[in-house]
Amino acid sequence: MVVLGIDIGGSGIKGAPVDPATGMFTAERVRIETPQPADVASVVKTVESVAGAFGPAASVGITFPAVVQHGVTKTAANVDASWVDAPAERLFAEALGRPVTVLNDADAAGVAEMEYGAGKGVGGLVVMVTFGTGIGSALFIDGRLVPNTEFGHLHLHGLHLHGGDAEDYASDRVRESENLGWTEWAERVQTYLRHLHALLWPDLIIVGGGVSKKADRFLHLVDVPTKVVPAALQNNAGIAGAALLAARRAGAA
Ligand code: BGC
């Protein structure tokens, strides 16, 4: 069975049909720029165009960079405010005429890493942290997702200058906007991950997000008292994880 995975990000909306048994794309990925402003109606339209590029899929999994509870988007830290309390799952399902599963972007990436990538077969407590425009997180206990952890919004002591939120201090966006060198940024990532470690004591931390493809530039500089590994699937994780959850919900994976 082929399921469509769609990943909604701040700059692009990407989609591909996925074989949930392997996480592999069965056709080349399509990317359309995220409309600006990225209000609900415009994003639903763009998602329709991405889905329209492929043949009919049995069901569709869609990631969104916010808390998603029971198909409703609840927050809008880095997205248009119209998404707060939007019935996203229903709106996408109506637009696409197929069952849709909507979930948080980091949760989707984490699900894919646990199934096909860096967390495969790892029991105990695993946390995936994605560094991008914000910081996303996904928590797993013996492979089972605890959805909607928002560890990117942890407050780190002494960071008032950065607004207090960890993601305003250590995200990849901040590395770029403050022009931080790899060593300087790695120190911030280390401060953040040590804090996270002190609260959760995970067996494994998976570092994801676009910057994880440059893990060789910074990850060796990050010293945390547990195993820290880069994500294996990088940019494809969101699409694959969303498709896998949609397939599981349809009872097909
Ligand atoms: C949002 C999270 C999201 C993360 C990564 C944060 O600002 O609150 O829901 O997972 O950014 O996109």
Side-chain angles (χ1 to χ4, degrees):
M1 175 170 111
V2 169
V3 179
L4 200 58
I6 296 181
D7 194 14
I8 300 177
S11 58
I13 298 181
K14 296 152 278 181
V18 178
D19 174 359
T22 60
M24 302 296 275
F25 295 178
T26 59
E28 203 164 322
R29 192 185 84 151
V30 164
R31 179 185 189 278
I32 300 183
E33 298 279 303
T34 304
Q36 299 302 339
D39 56 89
V40 176
S42 316
V43 169
V44 170
K45 259 202 152 115
T46 309
V47 164
E48 239 184 306
S49 307
V50 171
F54 306 102
S59 54
V60 185
I62 301 180
T63 79
F64 197 78
V67 170
V68 186
Q69 255 182 332
H70 314 295
V72 176
T73 45
K74 301 298 291 182
T75 59
N78 292 307
V79 293
D80 190 82
S82 59
W83 286 96
V84 175
D85 283 329
E89 208 161 85
R90 179 167 62 74
L91 295 174
F92 287 125
E94 279 168 10
L96 302 181
R98 279 170 282 172
V100 169
T101 299
V102 181
L103 72 156
N104 172 265
D105 56 353
D107 282 350
V111 163
E113 288 296 332
M114 295 305 286
E115 182 78 13
Y116 317 110
K120 195 173 174 185
V122 181
L125 203 91
V126 178
V127 59
M128 161 116 180
V129 187
T130 63
F131 292 88
T133 307
I135 295 180
S137 60
L139 183 68
F140 297 86
I141 298 171
D142 288 333
R144 218 184 135 92
L145 173 69
V146 179
N148 289 314
T149 54
E150 285 282 317
F151 297 142
H153 298 290
L154 277 178
H155 279 210
L156 296 181
H157 180 67
L159 297 184
H160 321 101
L161 283 177
H162 300 269
D165 259 27
E167 73 175 19
D168 295 326
Y169 176 67
S171 65
D172 195 41
R173 161 182 50 89
V174 171
R175 179 183 68 82
E176 286 180 349
S177 67
E178 292 187 21
N179 237 324
L180 302 175
W182 288 108
T183 309
E184 210 178 340
W185 184 64
E187 258 174 47
R188 293 188 180 199
V189 171
Q190 174 172 289
T191 303
Y192 170 61
L193 291 183
R194 283 189 177 180
H195 184 66
L196 199 59
H197 178 266
L199 297 175
L200 295 173
W201 288 83
D203 297 290
L204 174 69
I205 297 176
I206 303 173
V207 171
V211 75
S212 64
K213 51 177 182 282
K214 296 177 196 151
D216 57 323
R217 314 286 286 275
F218 68 93
L219 215 50
H220 62 287
L221 304 169
V222 175
D223 184 19
V224 180
T226 192
K227 199 169 169 196
V228 182
V229 297
L233 303 166
Q234 293 160 4
N235 275 341
N236 294 341
I239 293 175
L244 177 61
L245 278 199
R248 279 191 191 152
R249 195 154 150 193

